[in-house]
Amino acid sequence: MAKVLVMHGPNLNLLGTREPEIYGHTTLADINEMLVRRGNAAGVEVDCYQSNHEGALVDRLQAANHNYDYIIFNAAAYTHYSVAIRDAIAAIEVPVIEVHISNIHQREAFRHTSMLAPVCLGQICGLGVESYLAALEAVIYKLGLHKKEQTR
């Protein structure tokens, strides 16, 4: 069974109550449940992890190497300035898809630059919590599992 790690960075544990005009009312637990359910339906094991600490996120990326097929990662604020996370992504062989709930390119100027994008497989942003689902659908497609679902 294919394995996907979904990583959430700082302050995402506050989803549902934090700036709902930007991030909506869906909680992190809701997002994780939605991803696990969709993964199960496609034959993908989805593990979820959240930390507010940069070093913990780096440790998790390193530990994920050779243990997951893909990583879906919303690094939140670390996206814009963490060379450590960027270097951890570059150092592992697992492809990473960067996701954001809001469209970082329509927000404050400091959010327009992603330190991570150059070392990620791709970036999905601005679709609300569906950005995570879009990333998972991309993984399902890349793994060829969408073909198996069509034949069921």
Side-chain angles (χ1 to χ4, degrees):
M1 178 178 271
K3 290 180 68 176
V4 174
L5 174 62
V6 179
M7 295 180 59
H8 311 280
N11 299 311
L12 292 170
N13 56 307
L14 301 176
L15 285 175
T17 58
R18 174 186 174 222
E19 299 179 89
E21 67 280 2
I22 296 173
Y23 301 108
H25 294 282
T26 305
T27 67
L28 187 62
D30 294 336
I31 292 169
N32 290 342
E33 181 183 327
M34 172 179 64
L35 292 169
V36 168
R37 189 171 45 246
R38 175 62 185 117
N40 285 339
V44 176
E45 180 182 332
V46 175
D47 294 330
C48 301
Y49 176 78
Q50 188 277 328
S51 179
N52 293 318
H53 305 283
E54 184 178 30
L57 293 166
V58 168
D59 289 344
R60 193 69 175 107
L61 285 165
Q62 291 175 0
N65 202 26
H66 304 294
N67 292 309
Y68 288 91
D69 298 289
Y70 284 88
I71 298 170
I72 297 169
F73 192 11
N74 183 344
Y78 289 134
T79 300
H80 313 293
Y81 66 86
S82 179
V83 175
I85 291 175
R86 180 246 177 250
D87 288 351
I89 292 170
I92 64 174
E93 296 178 23
V94 181
V96 176
I97 299 174
E98 177 185 343
V99 300
H100 300 282
I101 294 169
S102 66
N103 184 340
I104 62 173
H105 306 289
Q106 292 179 338
R107 297 191 59 197
E108 304 92 338
F110 72 88
R111 295 186 197 274
H112 295 182
T113 301
S114 168
M115 296 290 293
L116 312 182
V119 294
C120 287
L121 176 64
Q123 180 192 75
I124 300 171
C125 67
L127 301 177
V129 298
E130 290 83 4
S131 293
Y132 285 100
L133 274 176
L136 184 56
E137 290 301 327
V139 167
I140 291 166
Y141 185 86
K142 290 197 162 290
L143 291 169
L145 298 174
H146 66 290
K147 295 174 186 171
K148 291 180 183 177
E149 286 184 312
Q150 293 170 353
T151 60
R152 288 185 195 167

